[in-house]
Amino acid sequence: MHCGPPDMVCETKIVAAEDHEALPGAQKDALLAAAGAMWPPLPAAPGPAAAPAAPPPAPGPQALGGAGGAEPPEGRGVYIREFRAAEQEAARRIFYDGIMERIPNTAFRGLRQHPRAQLLYALLAALCFALTRSLLLTCLVPAGLLALRYYYSRKVVLAYLDCALRTDMADIEQYYMRPPGSCFWVAVLDGNVVGIVAARAHAADNTVELLRMSVDSRFRGKGIAKALGRKVLEFALVHNYSAVVLGTTAVKVAAHKLYESLGFRHMGSSDRYVMPGMTLSLAERLFFQVRYHRYRLQLREE
């Protein structure tokens, strides 16, 4: 089974322009200032007591979603910075937990996106009644079908995780921090990693993929995912990329609203996407379906 880097949580491709070099310092600072105006800092996490009012800080890096700089003091909100080797296990845990949530989402919520599967399951229930004339057995058919969907969703997702945890997520520093054009960021709150996102370049087609976007479930709803998305958009602006293209198999509506809030346009979807870990067996085709969505954010004309 091919075990390339999986793309289930969030996969984004940044289509580069011909000039793939970083911008000069002054122009880079201007673009970061423009990005800060487009995406203002999100509110800091509330502390135990309100601090006295302070004068506005001088222009510089932002704490949440900004370009860099020193970490804020304890309790002053989320800070997004580049990954450090000591955070390997924390990043893997967040990624693992985020992917495992896809098992029930794909098995149960995802069924609403596949009317053909719904029709097939209804026909199976009708066939059961026609053969047995038993209402009890017929009522048990949907429960059995949902159990099979959960089983095959778990099977595929675990195979997907096995691929990821043995490839890029096995050594984040080696895979993302050392190669040119690649990077891995973490969102830090009170010294703890609470979110991750990665970017990786492809020289063959001059593109960069954004991978592995995930936020610890205990810290969602605080704008952390949006801040991670802003970091990628700033990365694209600074390095003179022309567009950001996002592909995702997310089922939750909130994920798609996030992409739209960042300015992405939905470019279509496909039910024929083959996810790493799929065997395409007949049983898997019957009880596991996934829909792949494509989004695009144009940053500048090519």
Side-chain angles (χ1 to χ4, degrees):
M1 178 179 64
H2 176 68
C3 191
D7 47 11
M8 191 171 186
V9 171
C10 177
E11 176 183 347
T12 308
K13 188 172 291 184
I14 303 174
V15 183
E18 292 182 1
D19 180 9
H20 196 227
E21 298 296 321
L23 300 178
Q27 190 174 358
K28 181 187 299 185
D29 291 343
L31 282 173
L32 287 175
M38 292 169 64
W39 309 299
L42 300 172
Q62 300 170 1
L64 185 51
E71 290 193 39
E74 197 79 8
R76 292 295 181 87
V78 177
Y79 180 74
I80 296 179
R81 58 164 170 73
E82 291 186 3
F83 167 84
R84 297 170 183 171
E87 296 158 343
Q88 171 80 29
E89 289 307 313
R92 281 166 59 95
R93 175 188 58 80
I94 291 173
F95 170 73
Y96 178 91
D97 291 346
I99 291 296
M100 288 298 288
E101 292 179 13
R102 295 299 178 93
I103 296 174
N105 287 338
T106 303
F108 306 135
R109 289 187 181 183
L111 181 57
R112 293 179 295 182
Q113 298 180 348
H114 301 281
R116 291 184 179 179
Q118 296 177 39
L119 178 60
L120 175 61
Y121 298 165
L123 291 175
L124 289 174
L127 179 62
C128 176
F129 180 76
L131 294 175
T132 66
R133 297 296 177 179
S134 170
L135 287 175
L136 176 60
L137 289 176
T138 302
C139 291
L140 289 175
V141 168
L145 293 172
L146 289 177
L148 286 169
R149 285 186 64 87
Y150 184 86
Y151 171 81
Y152 280 99
S153 292
R154 180 178 176 83
K155 177 177 178 290
V156 173
V157 168
L158 289 178
Y160 173 94
L161 274 170
D162 182 63
C163 286
L165 296 176
R166 288 190 292 107
T167 54
D168 61 312
M169 294 303 289
D171 191 343
I172 293 171
E173 187 172 19
Q174 175 68 31
Y175 202 91
Y176 290 110
M177 303 306 295
R178 294 179 183 175
S182 299
C183 195
F184 196 103
W185 296 274
V186 295
V188 180
L189 175 62
D190 296 334
N192 299 313
V193 175
V194 297
I196 59 173
V197 71
R200 186 185 61 175
H202 290 280
D205 56 358
N206 202 28
T207 64
V208 175
E209 287 181 297
L210 184 151
L211 303 161
R212 309 313 188 205
M213 182 186 286
S214 190
V215 176
D216 190 315
S217 60
R218 297 169 295 176
F219 300 96
R220 292 174 188 166
K222 300 179 182 294
I224 297 173
K226 182 175 286 190
L228 290 166
R230 292 171 181 171
K231 175 61 68 177
V232 173
L233 300 184
E234 290 176 5
F235 181 83
L237 283 169
V238 167
H239 292 84
N240 205 28
Y241 296 109
S242 60
V244 180
V245 180
L246 166 69
T248 181
T249 58
V251 174
K252 288 185 177 180
V253 174
H256 297 274
K257 288 185 176 180
L258 167 66
Y259 309 141
E260 292 170 359
S261 72
L262 287 167
F264 286 91
R265 291 181 55 195
H266 189 257
M267 305 301 291
S269 61
S270 172
D271 291 332
R272 298 183 179 181
Y273 177 69
V274 179
M275 196 178 77
M278 294 180 66
T279 62
L280 300 179
S281 65
L282 177 59
E284 196 174 89
R285 291 172 184 266
L286 289 175
F287 301 113
F288 179 84
Q289 298 89 27
V290 65
R291 177 166 292 178
Y292 184 76
H293 297 268
R294 293 177 293 106
Y295 287 86
R296 182 182 181 90
L297 192 159
Q298 191 75 29
L299 295 175
R300 64 180 183 81
E301 294 299 326
E302 297 186 28

